Amino acid sequence: MTKMKRPAAAALVGLFGMSLVLSACGSSNNDNGNTASNAANDTKAANDTKAANDNQSADATDVSKLKPYKLKMIYEGPPQPDEAKVEEALNKLLEPKINATIDLAPIDWGAWDDKMNLTIASREPVDILFTAQWNGYSKNVAKGAFLPLDDLLQKYGQGILSSLDPAFLEGSKIDGHNYGVPTNKEMAAASGIVYRKDIADELGIDMSTVKTMEDLDPIFKTIKEKKPDMIPLYTTGGFQQSVLDNLGDATIPGVISKTGTDTTVKMNEESDAYKSYLNLAHDWFQKGYINKDAATSQLSSGDAYKGGNVFLTFQPLKPGKDAELANAAGIGGKLAEIYLTDKTVSTGETAGAMLAISSTSKDPDRAMMFINLLHTDKDIVNLLNFGIEGTHYTRSGEIMTPTDQTPQYSPGVAWELGNQFLNYVWNTEDPDKWAKFKEFNANAISSPALGFVFNSDNVKAEVGALANVTKQYQRALETGSVDPNKVLPEYVAALKSAGVEKVIAEKQKQFDAWLATQK
């Protein structure tokens, strides 16, 4: 990856880089047996993508003491036609291990925030919820939505503890406690683009010239002229800045740079870089390069490729992200990716995808047993992520090949669920994908705030008010749908009226106190 030296370009990359597709009670006993779930003593098995099942230790939970229980798991992703078939297959594996069945309840990307907030506010009985630092993790901990997991991890999460890099659990703590189990995946972050390589080749577009956001303008112009029915850039807004550290929750204002040494928490919406990005996005929108419904569409950028009329999206990148998106969209081999930022790592990456246990769960112990299986049981995690072998894919060793039934179960959310290093890879992916993940995690630039997570308890009212303001303005601005010269001043004024300066001051206070302990 090339270091970005041009200040304006680097700022735009950071701001337009990562498109997003997003206290607690103690655990209950529920007569769930006396010992931890399987894989407690076998670190190697939990990490070995080739022999995990063969090397796993036997399940130590006394299933005879467990009453039947149906787990409900809500996560972000498109509902699948064959979901019921996969549930049935999962239940056959889960019942002998933890005497549980599963109700998969995915919520499509566009509807996620509203439905998730309603689920939490209504205190709906749920067992497992997807969460992330960019999707309100800290705010929902402050609301009491998630249980603290410290004791549950020790009792029923030994497979997690033995397979997951300790940095994930340390970095995702709030006030010393875990409220979510991170996905075992890449830890570094980078931003860039994913594009239709076949279309670029067809039109003779040299994508190697793309080093900055501005370099895309002539490419979008060519697509618009030669493929008038194709959307040059598809986005739904909600961008997360990969070179900015949100200090634990991207939905709460106040940032520092990951790549600098300045530890002053600032309001990003007042920065020159943010204004430059908004002007660029609005220019593209006016030229017709961005989908007209960008401010309202509920179709994720990944799913948009399925329609065949999208050329490019901005994405958080990692090795093989292009192949993952292509396979999920049924266009294997037709996408490619270009990195536009350096690799960085912050607390946000350690908490970039997690499964939490809801404080409304009627059996938190069983919920943790299930999450533990997602980190240790190769059959279960691959079934959940890719469907039924022989139906939704065929397999030779670690390599999967699609079938005509693959579109019936292709959720494309493996990055949310369990231990990615246990997953098979598609025949259009690099067979060395997981080794390259480990390489990707190495030598990333560390944020000055790595390890710090903001606790929003003292400003809960302001955080709630700011969320409403953000919902009103941010997506329209960041998709280029409105004139930033007119609307950005309104947005900034509304943020200040809602208490953003108090929130930033509280972030600074906590961050300074944390920094003092690091010396």
Side-chain angles (χ1 to χ4, degrees):
M1 274 165 279
T2 309
K3 281 188 180 289
M4 309 296 293
K5 297 298 185 184
R6 286 162 280 184
L12 290 174
V13 167
L15 289 161
F16 206 3
M18 190 178 278
S19 179
L20 296 177
V21 184
L22 266 99
S23 85
C25 314
S27 66
S28 62
N29 293 324
N30 289 305
D31 196 26
N32 280 339
N34 300 314
T35 55
S37 191
N38 60 341
N41 299 312
D42 201 341
T43 303
K44 180 178 183 297
N47 285 295
D48 189 345
T49 60
K50 298 184 182 299
N53 285 344
D54 293 338
N55 293 335
Q56 263 181 298
S57 59
D59 190 340
T61 300
D62 189 346
V63 179
S64 67
K65 294 185 178 182
L66 300 176
K67 298 176 182 178
Y69 186 73
K70 188 171 189 176
L71 291 158
K72 183 173 184 178
M73 182 170 70
I74 296 179
Y75 54 97
E76 192 170 15
Q80 300 296 300
D82 278 358
E83 182 181 299
K85 292 181 181 178
V86 172
E87 284 180 346
E88 182 180 0
L90 279 169
N91 292 341
K92 290 179 181 178
L93 298 179
L94 291 175
E95 286 183 295
K97 291 179 180 291
I98 60 173
N99 199 18
T101 54
I102 189 75
D103 174 15
L104 302 177
I107 296 174
D108 220 339
W109 310 106
W112 172 259
D113 285 338
D114 289 340
K115 289 189 176 181
M116 180 66 163
N117 289 337
L118 180 60
T119 296
I120 290 173
S122 67
R123 302 295 294 161
E124 177 185 339
V126 177
D127 296 289
I128 300 166
L129 294 166
F130 173 76
T131 187
Q133 67 85 24
W134 49 264
N135 200 226
Y137 171 52
S138 178
K139 287 193 300 188
N140 287 323
V141 168
K143 290 178 183 177
F146 309 142
L147 290 176
L149 303 181
D150 309 357
D151 291 343
L152 287 167
L153 279 165
Q154 291 299 324
K155 289 180 181 178
Y156 304 111
Q158 288 298 314
I160 296 166
L161 296 176
S162 63
S163 62
L164 193 61
D165 188 320
F168 278 106
L169 290 171
E170 282 300 315
S172 56
K173 286 181 177 179
I174 294 180
D175 281 351
H177 301 286
N178 287 108
Y179 293 88
V181 177
T183 304
N184 196 355
K185 61 183 187 69
E186 82 283 355
M187 195 180 297
S191 297
I193 61 173
V194 171
Y195 67 95
R196 284 287 298 269
K197 183 179 184 300
D198 58 328
I199 300 297
D201 291 344
E202 175 190 337
L203 300 181
I205 298 173
D206 182 7
M207 295 299 291
S208 68
T209 63
V210 177
K211 307 297 182 184
T212 73
M213 296 292 103
E214 296 96 330
D215 294 336
L216 290 169
D217 196 89
I219 291 170
F220 290 157
K221 185 175 186 291
T222 300
I223 296 295
K224 185 74 174 175
E225 291 174 349
K226 296 186 177 182
K227 294 279 186 180
D229 294 331
M230 178 161 271
I231 299 168
L233 169 61
Y234 182 88
T235 181
T236 57
F239 296 98
Q240 180 178 344
Q241 301 90 333
S242 72
V243 296
L244 296 181
D245 191 332
N246 297 278
L247 304 176
D249 194 326
T251 65
I252 302 175
V255 301
I256 66 166
S257 170
K258 292 181 187 176
T259 58
T261 57
D262 187 358
T263 58
T264 303
V265 182
K266 298 176 182 178
M267 186 175 170
N268 183 47
E269 292 78 7
E270 289 189 309
S271 69
D272 290 339
Y274 189 70
K275 294 172 187 175
S276 296
Y277 152 62
L278 295 184
N279 286 327
L280 179 64
H282 187 54
D283 179 54
W284 284 347
F285 189 86
Q286 288 182 308
K287 290 176 178 176
Y289 298 164
I290 294 176
N291 49 303
K292 293 180 181 179
D293 63 348
T296 57
S297 176
Q298 293 193 349
L299 184 68
S300 74
S301 60
D303 285 341
Y305 286 111
K306 294 177 181 179
N309 66 331
V310 168
F311 176 70
L312 183 147
T313 61
F314 286 89
Q315 298 286 343
L317 293 186
K318 60 187 177 183
K321 180 61 176 281
D322 48 358
E324 284 186 9
L325 288 173
N327 288 319
I331 52 172
K334 293 185 178 181
L335 296 180
E337 63 187 29
I338 296 175
Y339 287 80
L340 295 175
T341 69
D342 291 313
K343 295 184 297 182
T344 60
V345 61
S346 70
T347 304
E349 279 70 64
T350 64
M354 298 183 290
L355 293 179
I357 297 178
S358 172
S359 56
T360 63
S361 173
K362 299 186 183 303
D363 197 334
D365 293 8
R366 206 80 58 99
M368 181 56 74
M369 292 178 195
F370 176 72
I371 297 172
N372 191 69
L373 288 173
L374 293 182
H375 281 258
T376 58
D377 192 299
K378 194 164 187 171
D379 291 335
I380 288 174
V381 74
N382 278 285
L383 178 56
L384 175 62
N385 285 323
F386 306 116
I388 301 167
E389 183 176 348
T391 300
H392 301 112
Y393 65 91
T394 58
R395 181 170 64 90
S396 176
E398 299 295 302
I399 308 300
M400 298 181 293
T401 300
T403 70
D404 60 355
Q405 294 300 302
T406 299
Q408 300 302 109
Y409 192 83
S410 188
V413 294
W415 58 274
E416 295 183 29
L417 304 170
N419 185 351
Q420 283 209 289
F421 295 95
L422 296 182
N423 287 344
Y424 305 127
V425 297
W426 290 104
N427 61 343
T428 52
E429 295 182 291
D430 188 334
D432 295 324
K433 177 179 179 178
W434 303 127
K436 290 186 176 179
F437 262 47
K438 293 177 181 178
E439 180 182 345
F440 181 72
N441 284 344
N443 303 317
I445 299 170
S446 294
S447 167
L450 179 61
F452 172 75
V453 178
F454 175 58
N455 185 332
S456 62
D457 278 350
N458 293 336
V459 286
K460 282 192 288 187
E462 288 78 11
V463 166
L466 290 168
N468 291 330
V469 172
T470 298
K471 185 176 181 180
Q472 180 181 353
Y473 288 98
Q474 187 182 62
R475 186 169 176 181
L477 277 165
E478 294 186 3
T479 56
S481 303
V482 296
D483 184 351
N485 293 317
K486 296 178 180 179
V487 180
L488 180 58
E490 295 179 18
Y491 182 29
V492 171
L495 288 171
K496 290 184 177 180
S497 179
V500 69
E501 290 167 324
K502 181 178 179 181
V503 171
I504 290 177
E506 179 66 21
K507 270 194 176 183
Q508 187 72 67
K509 177 183 175 182
Q510 292 183 25
F511 185 35
D512 287 343
W514 178 84
L515 285 170
T517 69
Q518 306 303 301
K519 296 177 180 178

